[in-house]
Amino acid sequence: MLKSPPREIDEATIDMVVQAVMQQEAAVPRPKPQKTLPEIAPAAPEAPQETQGKTRYQPKWRHSAAILAVAILIGWPGLFPLLLGLAIALPVIAYLTLGHDRMSEVVAAVFDRFRRLDPVRAEILRGWAMRRVAGIERVLSWLPERWTTGLYLPDFRDAPNSHDKMRLDPFSRFQAEQAETSDAR
């Protein structure tokens, strides 16, 4: 066998290479180790994809909710009419219990809070309601006037700032005067 001649080792070159590598290692910031919990069970190996271009279907939350709704409808068919009846009955009961004035205050307070939280969507909702009222007014204009007298639809426009005089009840002075005259008798 042929032997290769022995190589001469230059220790100065080796020292310079080792120092350069050590400087590079020291210059690179080391990531801090993250605290992790001990592994309870070994991680399941990922299944290799058979084809590169084809990915698995991940349903959106809307699709999952629709599938759940259909499954509930098939499993308990009486639940849908029950929920629909509750959705109609509960607001009617609340309206009859609270009365028109209090219910109007509650709805206005809820809408004001909605307007503070999301003004863009509140304006969209208000515009939608204004368009619906305009459509109802168009339909009512075709009906005879005696059928529609006394029917007042809501106005969803912003209320103009009213003066202090207008905020006071115009009949409060009249009522106070009547109370004084009835007490004098």
Side-chain angles (χ1 to χ4, degrees):
M1 300 262 265
L2 297 174
K3 285 188 172 179
S4 60
R7 294 185 184 176
E8 291 185 26
I9 300 174
D10 187 13
E11 290 184 15
T13 309
I14 292 174
D15 285 342
M16 287 182 359
V17 169
V18 169
Q19 285 179 356
V21 169
M22 287 174 57
Q23 285 177 353
Q24 286 177 350
E25 288 288 324
V28 174
R30 291 193 177 140
K32 294 181 181 178
Q34 295 180 351
K35 294 180 182 179
T36 59
L37 295 173
E39 192 171 324
I40 295 173
E46 292 184 24
Q49 290 185 348
E50 289 129 16
T51 58
Q52 290 291 342
K54 198 172 188 180
T55 58
R56 293 185 60 208
Y57 171 70
Q58 289 289 62
K60 297 180 181 175
W61 68 270
R62 285 181 262 160
H63 296 163
S64 298
I67 291 169
L68 179 66
V70 168
I72 289 173
L73 186 63
I74 291 171
W76 297 286
L79 190 63
F80 180 69
L82 177 73
L83 291 177
L84 186 63
L86 280 176
I88 292 170
L90 287 179
V92 169
I93 291 171
Y95 181 81
L96 294 175
T97 304
L98 296 176
H100 175 74
D101 294 336
R102 180 68 182 132
M103 196 67 176
S104 298
E105 291 173 9
V106 168
V107 170
V110 168
F111 184 75
D112 285 341
R113 183 171 182 197
F114 180 56
R115 180 181 277 176
R116 274 183 284 144
L117 294 176
D118 195 354
V120 174
R121 288 181 62 197
E123 280 302 311
I124 292 170
L125 179 63
R126 192 172 66 85
W128 178 84
M130 287 174 62
R131 287 190 302 276
R132 295 299 159 253
V133 168
I136 292 170
E137 285 176 348
R138 279 193 304 270
V139 169
L140 292 177
S141 68
W142 297 338
L143 297 175
E145 191 171 326
R146 61 188 169 120
W147 290 5
T148 59
T149 55
L151 179 65
Y152 301 103
L153 295 176
D155 184 18
F156 294 109
R157 293 183 293 227
D158 285 332
N161 294 337
S162 60
H163 300 288
D164 290 333
K165 276 185 174 179
M166 298 304 288
R167 288 188 187 149
L168 299 174
D169 184 18
F171 296 105
S172 61
R173 183 178 55 86
F174 181 69
Q175 289 174 348
E177 287 175 4
Q178 277 191 341
E180 287 175 8
T181 58
S182 66
D183 290 337
R185 291 184 196 176

